[in-house]
Amino acid sequence: MKYLQRYLPILTWGRAYNKETATSDLVAAVIVTIMLIPQSLAYAMLAGLPPEVGLYASILPLVAYAVFGTSRALAVGPVAVVSLLTAATVGEIAKGGTPEYLGAAIALAFISGLMLMALGFLRLGFLANLLSHPVISGFITASGLLIASSQLKHILGVSASGRTLYDIFVSIGSQIGETNLITLAIGAGSTVFLFWVRKGLKKALLGIGFKPFPADLLTKAGPVAAVAVTTLLAGVFNLADHGVRLVGEIPSGLPVPQLPPFDAELWLQLAGSALLISVIGFVESVSVAQTLAAKKRQRIEPDQELIGLGAANVASAISGGYPVTGGFARSVVNFDAGAATPAAGAFTAVGIAVATLFLTPLLTHLPTATLAATIIVAVLSLVDFGAIKRTYAYSKSDFAAMAATILITLFFGVEQGVVTGVALSIGLYLYRNSRPHMAIVGVVPGTEHFRNIDRHKVVTGEKVLTLRVDESLFFANSRYLEDKIYALVADRPNIKHVVLMCPAVNEIDASALESLEEINHRLSDSGVSFHLSEVKGPVMDRLQKTDLLKHLSGKVFLSQYQALCELDPQTAHCSEARTTTKVAE
């Protein structure tokens, strides 16, 4: 039973499900459904797919995640960044609007789902940590700007194209004279209205006496209001005859389950992008899930989240959808609305299914400019210029990685931006760990504590050199350690002992072990003894299986103070004497 509960979290929370919990989930589902209907249509358009595909991707995936996911508040479905990545990937393989394009998008969801599930079963969720937060933040900011720019053509009513910021603006600029003024009025008006709804409607409603819950519900229904009003205007005034582009007929009915196309060549073409989409989607999803879980003192299982998201993507493919993940905005709305269990997502799926069955005929006259406004308002909330400023102030190297990711994404494409971000994250990690912080330390007078000689008033002797290393030792930094010790010894001809202080060393790999053996050998040839101190138990267990300790010219000390007392008792006594004098004074 425990084994099943590990892979089917529904067996855990489902046993405690009751009427009160169901009520909370139903209320949250109503609010998220209202928000998700226009978003699903808009994000499908962003991915270059028919609008109904966005609805299909918002039904079965939510049910699958409710069964396999561990977050109580995460709302799964189409999101802006994954939609953009889908368009960029599939657009290289097939022409938009063709059956091949849709088939490739479905296959992309299926492959991504299989990859996520495989990573989950292999317990490889930690791989997402290879993407640093500044790089992810930079990529999302750039994607937000790129997505918003790509929607300007729908706001203006022109047929622009382009996958980079430069190409988009050049294309729009060349056709700016063909702007449809009615479309511009609808798109700009919807954008302004949605920004006002997001920023000011709730405050205004509270000011005139509304209670918080209905005020919040009406605020979340803002996009639905924009869709309803502009659709009504387009139908009544027959705006299609005036050049306003409409969504057109959306097929009614639920998707028919089907398998994705099994084409070996197509799968090979999609594999690399599917992995990138999987990683980006997982990082975005798990970040949101962990943040929301912490607020209620709950926890999620990252490896099981991989399985949950993988199952959601497989379900999306089977139901004719495209890649999905946990969305930030709708997850926060789901949480704030009181979602108590993943069942809220399943109830949302029912709401979307009802909309797919009965509401799609009402959307025939929906202007694409309204959907573009919905996308623009949603994605601009992802743009965080403040993070750029904060990162620059805190870490120039992280800022450089962030800036490079933003520029590459904007001017060379989203896939190149992702690859750059991954490469820079790994590169920064290796660079920092290849040059670990090391400090010569001395004893703080009157204590047994050792601190950096450049930061504190400490006592040191001429016979013992104590070097504290503040990282684990492995292949990337072992040579740096060697060079550092040799340089320090060369500058101090009176040194008789070198003690490597290891309180922060959690692991020593084979390369670092060879470096320690070489250090011991070369120092011994120079008449200098090599010692270790404060070695952690697990590290010591592994060292005892090697020849290093057998041939060590010095000793392994339990504490650095013990080493100083034995190797240089005069300095240790001097430290104590200074304290006694100071106290006496």
Side-chain angles (χ1 to χ4, degrees), residues 514-535:
E514 289 190 11
S515 291
L516 292 177
E517 291 173 340
E518 180 64 20
I519 291 169
N520 178 58
H521 176 70
R522 289 184 61 174
L523 290 181
S524 181
D525 289 345
S526 303
V528 178
S529 299
F530 183 50
H531 310 265
L532 303 175
S533 74
E534 302 189 13
V535 181

Side-chain angles (χ1 to χ4, degrees), residues 28-44:
V30 169
I31 295 176
V32 175
T33 300
I34 292 171
M35 179 182 186
L36 190 53
I37 290 173
Q39 275 194 357
S40 299
L41 299 171
Y43 290 152

Side-chain angles (χ1 to χ4, degrees), residues 175-506:
Q175 300 184 54
I176 196 71
E178 301 175 15
T179 298
N180 184 292
L181 295 180
I182 299 177
T183 300
L184 177 59
I186 292 173
S190 297
T191 303
V192 172
F193 170 74
L194 291 173
F195 270 119
W196 174 76
V197 165
R198 181 180 288 263
K199 299 293 184 182
L201 179 58
K202 184 175 182 179
K203 184 178 179 181
L205 292 173
L206 293 174
I208 60 175
F210 274 76
K211 293 183 178 180
F213 180 76
D216 192 59
L217 183 60
L218 289 172
T219 300
K220 299 301 184 294
V224 176
V227 167
V229 171
T230 56
T231 300
L232 182 64
L233 290 174
V236 170
F237 295 101
N238 199 19
L239 296 183
D241 291 343
H242 298 278
V244 176
R245 298 178 185 179
L246 308 179
V247 168
E249 184 177 350
I250 301 176
S252 298
L254 297 175
V256 178
Q258 58 182 320
L259 291 175
F262 289 94
D263 183 329
E265 183 179 353
L266 174 64
W267 280 44
L268 285 174
Q269 287 178 294
L270 294 174
S273 297
L275 181 60
L276 291 176
I277 289 174
S278 299
V279 173
I280 290 294
F282 173 64
V283 170
E284 180 178 353
S285 178
V286 79
S287 299
V288 177
Q290 287 175 334
T291 299
L292 297 180
K295 291 183 177 181
K296 288 191 175 181
R297 297 190 178 184
Q298 298 168 349
R299 61 188 299 269
I300 66 165
E301 293 289 345
D303 293 319
Q304 183 60 32
E305 281 297 290
L306 283 166
I307 296 173
L309 291 173
N313 276 279
V314 170
S316 183
I318 292 174
S319 57
Y322 69 104
V324 298
T325 192
F328 176 78
R330 75 175 69 103
S331 295
V332 172
V333 169
N334 196 37
F335 178 86
D336 290 341
T341 72
F347 294 147
T348 300
V350 174
I352 300 296
V354 171
T356 305
L357 283 170
F358 301 109
L359 299 183
T360 51
L362 303 177
L363 300 174
T364 302
H365 298 289
L366 172 61
T368 57
T370 305
L371 293 179
T374 302
I375 293 174
I376 290 173
V377 174
V379 299
L380 286 183
S381 67
L382 302 175
V383 177
D384 188 358
F385 291 117
I388 300 174
K389 182 179 179 181
R390 292 190 299 271
T391 303
Y392 177 80
Y394 183 75
S395 171
K396 298 300 185 290
S397 58
D398 280 333
F399 168 77
M402 188 183 206
T405 302
I406 292 174
L407 293 174
I408 294 295
T409 301
L410 288 177
F411 295 102
F412 292 91
V414 289
E415 289 193 357
Q416 291 86 341
V418 174
V419 172
T420 300
V422 172
L424 288 173
S425 293
I426 296 174
L428 277 175
Y429 172 80
L430 291 175
Y431 174 76
R432 287 168 177 165
N433 284 276
S434 68
R435 301 175 64 85
H437 180 261
M438 298 182 187
I440 301 173
V441 297
V443 63
V444 179
T447 73
E448 297 183 6
H449 301 295
F450 286 75
R451 293 292 184 267
N452 189 336
I453 64 172
D454 295 326
R455 293 177 177 270
H456 301 273
K457 292 182 179 180
V458 294
V459 178
T460 59
E462 295 185 357
K463 293 172 54 180
V464 179
L465 170 67
T466 301
L467 182 66
R468 189 191 69 213
V469 58
D470 295 330
E471 295 283 352
S472 291
L473 300 176
F474 68 118
F475 67 92
N477 61 27
S478 56
R479 183 58 184 269
Y480 181 76
L481 174 65
E482 286 188 56
D483 294 341
K484 183 77 170 180
I485 290 178
Y486 299 152
L488 291 173
V489 171
D491 292 338
R492 292 165 174 79
N494 295 326
I495 289 296
K496 298 298 181 184
H497 305 278
V498 171
V499 184
L500 187 64
M501 190 176 173
C502 307
V505 177
N506 295 312

